[in-house]
Structure formats: structure tokens, C-alpha cells
Amino acid sequence: MANKVKAVLIGGTGYGGAEILRRLLFHPNVEVTRITAVDNIGKKVGDVHLNLAGLTDLTFQQMPPAEAVAGADVVFLAMPHKTTAQVVVEILSSGVRIVDLSGDFRLRDPAAYTKYYGVAHPAPQHLTDGTFVYGMPELNRDAIRKARYVASPGCFATTIALGLLPLAKGGKLRGPIHTVAATGSSGSGANPQLTTHHPLRASNLRTYKPLEHQHIPEILQTLRTAGAAQDLSLEFVPVSAPLPRGIFATSFADVPASTTQEELDALWKETYGKEPFIRIIGGGRQPEVVGVSGSNYVEVGFTLGPVTGDTRRVVCFSTLDNLVKGGAGQAIQSFNVMMGFDERTTLAEPGLWP
């Protein structure tokens, strides 16, 4: 074990923590040395995450963050927004590599953070100075290779941005985008609430935070970085869906009337043809949650509409597992890139069928 990367997980009792452990416990280059939390202290991992019973003798501990990362090479932070920023401030001087799954260091604009997260950021200089690299390998792979601190993208942000990325890279994305995306209940966390309790969700569809979801500025920042016009805007309506895992996003954008099917096919192939976790769907089918649930894979596709005036409508579809590519899996993918490991390590297996 001496040559393995020593990893610590802070915030290990949630669904995101469970998914990180499900992957890292089988990572050939990693030894998980410590797991901390604020609940279930002293319990074994398998007593809280039943699918991991018997796979590790580690227990959940409670200790100050600086003490938790002592001796570690990397720490994965799987805590709520706002809480995480304070922890990062405490451990930055330790020199440990950080992979943060919260939204606290994704944005570069402190004012946008304050608007969408409801509080002033405790360390705004780390938003503006590039301390954290945005952990989307399909966009920032080279920067992630050189990074010590990674801010892993949000689940909606990953789904929607990956659905639109070919248009952004091709310089065809400008003006308003309209997106509706449905998400599974696991994205709301392990503790049941009135809107996530299964008897109330299993037969229901409802929206929440329409036009004001905190991933809106993150999506726009990502698409502009990829090459989209600066006048881009996004109207986003998230939907709570009656399934445990998965996100399905439908995004509407207008492109020049001269745009052809062949041109868009080429853009999607150029953007994703060599990406290990992106599947371009065609041949009469469109992306589906069941094709990616439980895995780190993403399905993307599009439909090009008829010419209307000087534009054509493109409807972009994208789907992924919110806990894997939308959370823990993407964080481990960036970790693999950062450490020089094969990007697919402990992530290559497909999801379940059905």
C-alpha cells in the first residue's frame, strides 16, 4: 500500500460519499485512509451504506478538517455548499490536493455566487484567481492535468452543458437557450424531506427553483469558456422526477438557417468522438436514462428543425446518472486525470440493464 495515493473523504455518509467509496475502494492506485462525517460517528461504512458491507473496516470519524487531511495526498469533499468553503479555507495551507464536489468554487464571479447561493463567499479571491480548475474533462482536461485543486461540476450543469458543448465549440451558440431537465430523487440527498419522500414523489412531477437554479451561472460560464457568444442567456426549469437516479435534459437553441444536419453531425463527432464516456446517440433513438443509470457514461443527441426565417431550431438531448457522471464519478475522473492515471480507472463498467 506504500505506493498508493492516500485519500481522505470528508462528508462520507451521503449518497455522494457512498458513490465515491463504491469506486475508490476498488481503485488500484488508491488507499482510502479516513472518512469523516457529522453523523453516524463510530459506525462502520457498511452499516450506513449497505451495499458496501464487508468491503472495508473503516468507520465514520469526526475531527477538525486540518486533522482529517493530515498525511493524506488527496481529499474528496462531499459536503453541502457553504459548509465546504469554510473547510477549504482551513485545509488549503496543508498542501493536500482537493477534489470538491460542492458548488463553492465552481464560479469565477463572487457576485454570481452571492446571488445564487444566498451568502457572500468567505474566500472570494479563490474564485477570481484560478485556484480551482473546473473539473469537466471534456472541456478542461489539460488544465486538470496540472491542477492541485479541482471544483467538480454540478449534476444539472454537467448534463446541460455537455448537451450544448458541440454548438458552443462550433461558434453556433448565442442568444437565449431554453432548457427543461428532470432529475432523480437521489440528487436531493440522503435525508428525506417533504418534496423528496418516496410516497410523495413516486407518482408525481413537480418543478422547483424555476428560472433561478444555482447551476444557471455555472452552465453559462462553461459554455462561454467553450466558445459560446457572450450574449448567451439561459432560461432553465428543473423538474423533480419519480426515479432515484438520472437526469434527462432537453435544451432548445437557434442556429443560423444555413446550418445543415451534416454540419452538426460533424460538430458532435469532433467534440465527442474520442471521449471515453460520451455516447453520441442516433439512428432513430435519442438519449435515455436507462442507458446510463449507475454508470459514468453520458448519452447526447440532437434534432435539427426546419428553417424559420433566418434561423433553425436545434433541440439537444443529454442524459447521465446524477450521482456518477453528475457527481462522484466525474470527481474521480478528474482525480485520475490530475494524478496521471488512466481516466477510466474504476469508472469503465456500464450501468445496469434494465
Side-chain angles (χ1 to χ4, degrees):
M1 301 292 277
N3 295 325
K4 293 194 174 187
V5 173
K6 291 179 171 57
V8 168
L9 172 60
I10 297 182
T13 56
Y15 291 143
E19 191 65 38
I20 289 172
L21 291 171
R22 185 166 80 96
R23 309 285 171 162
L24 287 188
L25 289 175
F26 291 94
H27 198 298
N29 305 113
V30 172
E31 177 193 3
V32 180
T33 59
R34 187 175 295 121
I35 309 168
T36 72
V38 296
D39 56 357
N40 293 294
I41 305 306
K43 290 185 178 180
K44 287 188 176 182
V45 167
D47 292 336
V48 177
H49 305 312
L50 304 185
N51 61 323
L52 303 180
L55 298 180
T56 177
D57 290 327
L58 288 169
T59 61
F60 295 105
Q61 300 176 271
Q62 189 171 33
M63 62 181 65
E67 183 180 340
V69 302
D73 300 306
V74 63
V75 58
F76 289 82
L77 304 180
M79 296 173 296
H81 317 310
K82 306 174 190 177
T83 300
T84 301
Q86 298 289 350
V87 171
V88 167
V89 170
E90 293 183 45
I91 65 175
L92 264 179
S93 61
S94 71
V96 67
R97 293 177 183 267
I98 299 171
V99 181
D100 175 22
L101 278 74
S102 84
D104 281 351
F105 292 92
R106 296 171 188 159
L107 300 180
R108 292 194 291 265
D109 180 1
Y113 181 90
T114 300
K115 176 180 177 180
Y116 283 91
Y117 288 89
V119 296
H121 199 283
Q125 70 276 16
H126 295 314
L127 301 184
T128 58
D129 66 5
T131 299
F132 278 78
V133 170
Y134 190 63
M136 182 176 285
E138 293 79 9
L139 181 64
N140 285 334
R141 187 172 281 107
D142 289 342
I144 295 169
R145 284 194 183 101
K146 304 171 186 176
R148 292 194 62 83
Y149 310 116
V150 169
S152 203
C155 53
F156 276 128
T158 300
T159 315
I160 296 166
L162 288 177
L164 294 163
L165 206 59
L167 292 179
K169 286 192 169 185
K172 291 185 174 293
L173 204 55
R174 61 182 307 118
I177 301 168
H178 308 281
T179 298
V180 175
T183 187
S185 57
S186 58
S188 300
N191 296 319
Q193 304 172 40
L194 183 63
T195 56
T196 61
H197 192 44
H198 189 72
L200 299 177
R201 184 156 180 162
S203 301
N204 194 22
L205 286 167
R206 60 180 291 276
T207 187
Y208 64 100
K209 296 183 180 178
L211 306 181
E212 56 183 24
H213 194 278
Q214 67 270 18
H215 288 182
I216 290 173
E218 181 182 344
I219 296 164
L220 291 172
Q221 176 180 282
T222 302
L223 294 173
R224 288 167 181 154
T225 299
Q230 293 302 304
D231 66 351
L232 197 67
S233 63
L234 173 64
E235 293 184 341
F236 169 39
V237 176
V239 175
S240 170
L243 68 164
R245 288 175 178 253
I247 295 179
F248 187 98
T250 304
S251 297
F252 302 82
D254 290 330
V255 296
S258 59
T259 304
T260 65
Q261 177 76 28
E262 292 73 21
E263 187 179 2
L264 295 188
D265 285 338
L267 280 179
W268 259 254
K269 185 175 182 180
E270 180 181 355
T271 303
Y272 294 133
K274 296 182 180 179
E275 288 296 336
F277 293 110
I278 311 293
R279 298 168 176 164
I280 303 171
I281 305 302
R285 184 169 84 83
Q286 290 292 355
E288 302 177 55
V289 168
V290 74
V292 296
S293 181
S295 80
N296 200 55
Y297 293 93
V298 182
E299 290 191 347
V300 297
F302 69 90
T303 293
L304 179 61
V307 174
T308 303
D310 58 358
T311 64
R312 300 183 76 171
R313 175 64 53 85
V314 182
V315 185
C316 300
F317 306 101
S318 49
T319 185
L320 52 73
D321 186 305
N322 55 289
L323 289 179
V324 192
K325 182 60 173 175
Q330 181 156 236
I332 294 172
Q333 185 182 354
S334 288
F335 162 75
N336 284 336
V337 173
M338 181 170 59
M339 300 304 299
F341 303 143
D342 186 320
E343 195 167 321
R344 300 164 295 176
T345 304
T346 201
L347 298 170
E349 79 282 359
L352 300 177
W353 179 263

